[in-house]
Amino acid sequence: MEEPPHLFLCPISMELMDDPVTVSTGVTYDRRSIERWIFGCGRATCPATMQPLANLELTPNHTLKRVIGSWLDDRGGSPSTSASSSPSTSSLSSPAHELAAPLSRVLEAERLRSVLAGLEETPFKVTALKRMRACMAGDVAMQCEFVSSGGIQAVARVMAQALAESGAGGDFSAFRACEEAAAVLALLPLADAASVGLLLAPECMRPVMALLQRGSAEARLHAMDIVTKIFNAGAGDWTACVEVDDVLKSLLELLADEVSISTRLSSRALDVLLDIVERSRIGPTKAVEVGAVHVLVELLANADDRHDAERILLLLKRLCKRPEGRLAFAEHDLSVAAVAKTMLRVSELATQLAVKVLWLVSVVAPSEKVLEDMVLTGAVAKLLGLLHVESPPATKQKTVRMVRINGVFWRQYPCFPTDLRDYLRLLD
């Protein structure tokens, strides 16, 4: 039986597709294989690219199914019957033609191993890495060949060497090699503990953090893809294997760079920051020390995306549970205004999180500056307004207690509306 064209093979099973369907990333799989991946294994990612699936719809690829059907008909109807079918033009084709497809795969794998073997010695590392990247893109089998041939270790060493050379002499070409190496690693699924463990080695993580700080826009995305796949792999506490300070500084510098950062990049950076604060025992304290509260408040003040605003509020809530976090919040002039702006405006979840943040800074450890800012920025008025709308019992309870506890302080301000003063008396 002639080997099927590569496009006819499912990227998961590497077998001829019977019912090809396309997922939201544009990659086509056999329905049985992709349903097992999504619904059987509970994964919401594209196996070939490891990108999150925007939805779980499987769109039949009728065109590809017809082409595969025509290909099978020309060869006797099915792989199992073609060998016993009557002689035809296809059965009399030359041996070279019959072996073309499998021979091509063997040659591609051999070329990949050859490039890997000479990668550390060649002076043309960028070219070699680009060739490797083109060979592996969208090809799960080649990605597996890369990993089994020690590709992660080889590329990590090249990254470390390139970063050292670029730092020593300011060699742009060396840093370019570091960026291209990250692009190669970003292609990998990185779903197994062994691959993640190799990437968590200092010689690999240091260059990745450097790319987050000063790489090109594309290199930053690749570096963030690597970090995101590491924590999505669920390989225990990955933060224990890295310098948390360096990772936090890289993420915060990235988020603070309003000029070159993209929406996709900032969204992923917030996800990683949340994971560190949740997972690492020292994460919240370290985050406050390197200025996370200041950066998050600035981001919240300018946030247009609902999901970003909710994640920023969640981070502020977790950081404000620490005394140092509440102190940093109180010191920023825009903190109360930024949080109050999201109440009754962004989403129900954002309102709940905003109330929790204000509760932590005005009741758990109140400061006169925060209480004053709550009056001047309209946060108190929004809290009272919240009592008149549907909200979860816990949110309403916190709102009532804030008003009761701090009402005496707020009534002394001339800008405090008369009707709100009367309302506070009723609560008392």
Side-chain angles (χ1 to χ4, degrees):
M1 177 63 184
E2 181 184 338
E3 187 78 5
H6 181 65
L7 290 175
F8 294 180
L9 303 180
C10 173
I12 298 176
S13 65
M14 294 309 293
E15 296 177 354
L16 190 66
M17 287 186 277
D18 178 59
D19 185 10
V21 292
T22 304
V23 297
S24 61
T25 58
V27 182
T28 298
Y29 301 89
D30 187 65
R31 182 182 293 276
R32 183 179 300 176
S33 296
I34 192 63
E35 284 183 345
R36 187 183 302 116
W37 172 273
I38 295 175
F39 304 112
C41 301
R43 294 165 175 156
T45 55
C46 172
T49 65
M50 289 312 291
Q51 294 177 345
L53 294 175
N55 54 65
L56 300 183
E57 294 180 5
L58 304 178
T59 306
N61 191 331
H62 298 297
T63 302
L64 182 57
K65 187 170 184 177
R66 283 195 298 271
V67 173
I68 293 175
S70 299
W71 183 85
L72 286 172
D73 289 340
D74 291 342
R75 283 147 186 82
S78 70
S80 58
T81 61
S82 62
S84 58
S85 63
S86 58
S88 64
T89 304
S90 61
S91 65
L92 296 175
S93 60
S94 66
H97 177 71
E98 293 179 0
L99 294 174
L103 182 58
S104 173
R105 299 292 296 168
V106 172
L107 289 174
E108 284 181 17
E110 186 58 37
R111 276 195 292 269
L112 179 62
R113 287 191 291 268
S114 176
V115 173
L116 267 175
L119 183 60
E120 295 178 69
E121 303 301 327
T122 179
F124 307 109
K125 288 182 173 59
V126 172
T127 302
L129 288 163
K130 283 185 175 180
R131 189 179 304 158
M132 193 181 302
R133 183 181 172 189
C135 181
M136 294 166 52
D139 194 327
V140 177
M142 282 300 162
Q143 292 168 15
C144 292
E145 181 68 37
F146 172 84
V147 174
S148 63
S149 300
I152 293 179
Q153 300 93 312
V155 171
R157 288 192 295 269
V158 167
M159 289 180 75
Q161 178 187 354
L163 183 64
E165 291 176 1
S166 65
D171 186 354
F172 176 76
S173 63
F175 195 72
R176 185 71 190 87
C178 189
E179 292 185 332
E180 196 60 44
V184 171
L185 294 179
L187 289 172
L188 303 175
L190 303 179
D192 60 291
S195 296
V196 171
L198 293 172
L199 284 173
L200 286 173
E203 66 179 5
C204 187
M205 287 306 295
R206 273 195 293 267
V208 170
M209 293 302 107
L211 290 176
L212 283 178
Q213 292 174 336
R214 52 192 175 96
S216 64
E218 186 180 17
R220 284 178 164 189
L221 272 174
H222 292 147
M224 187 56 69
D225 281 343
I226 294 170
V227 176
T228 304
K229 288 175 183 178
I230 287 174
F231 86 76
N232 279 336
D237 185 7
W238 66 274
T239 61
C241 305
V242 298
E243 291 292 336
V244 175
D245 285 27
D246 291 342
V247 180
L248 289 170
K249 288 176 183 176
S250 299
L251 292 172
L252 293 174
E253 287 182 24
L254 189 67
L255 289 168
D257 187 357
E258 299 177 0
V259 177
S260 60
I261 189 171
S262 66
T263 303
R264 176 184 168 195
L265 194 54
S266 64
S267 178
R268 293 194 177 187
L270 287 171
D271 284 339
V272 177
L273 194 56
L274 267 170
D275 192 68
I276 293 174
V277 170
E278 286 180 357
R279 194 185 297 265
S280 172
R281 181 179 54 82
I282 62 173
T285 301
K286 291 292 184 181
V288 174
E289 288 178 2
V290 297
V293 173
H294 178 88
V295 173
L296 292 171
V297 167
E298 296 286 337
L299 284 174
L300 185 61
N302 300 302
D304 296 322
D305 182 78
R306 173 174 66 88
H307 297 292
D308 284 351
E310 290 169 352
R311 280 178 288 190
I312 293 168
L313 286 166
L314 181 57
L315 277 163
L316 285 173
K317 186 199 81 169
R318 286 175 179 160
L319 296 181
C320 285
K321 288 182 178 180
R322 305 293 180 102
E324 59 271 24
R326 293 191 290 270
L327 180 61
F329 184 91
E331 290 175 348
H332 198 295
D333 292 335
L334 291 177
S335 57
V336 174
V339 171
K341 185 183 76 169
T342 65
M343 294 173 63
L344 300 173
R345 177 182 176 184
V346 175
S347 68
E348 184 177 344
L349 176 59
T351 298
Q352 295 173 29
L353 291 170
V355 168
K356 289 176 182 177
V357 172
L358 294 177
W359 164 268
L360 288 168
V361 297
S362 69
V363 175
V364 175
S367 73
E368 188 170 317
K369 180 180 179 302
V370 167
L371 295 177
E372 182 178 3
D373 285 347
M374 289 180 70
V375 176
L376 300 179
T377 62
V380 175
K382 283 199 172 185
L383 287 173
L384 292 171
L386 189 60
L387 296 175
H388 295 283
V389 299
E390 286 292 329
S391 59
T395 300
K396 188 158 287 189
Q397 184 181 17
K398 280 186 170 60
T399 303
V400 170
R401 290 193 64 188
M402 270 192 279
V403 174
R404 287 184 185 279
I405 292 170
N406 299 310
V408 174
F409 180 88
W410 288 331
R411 271 199 292 260
Q412 67 180 307
Y413 286 88
C415 63
F416 196 75
T418 304
D419 57 337
L420 294 186
R421 290 180 183 176
D422 295 339
Y423 193 82
L424 285 173
R425 289 194 186 97
L426 291 176
L427 287 178
D428 291 338

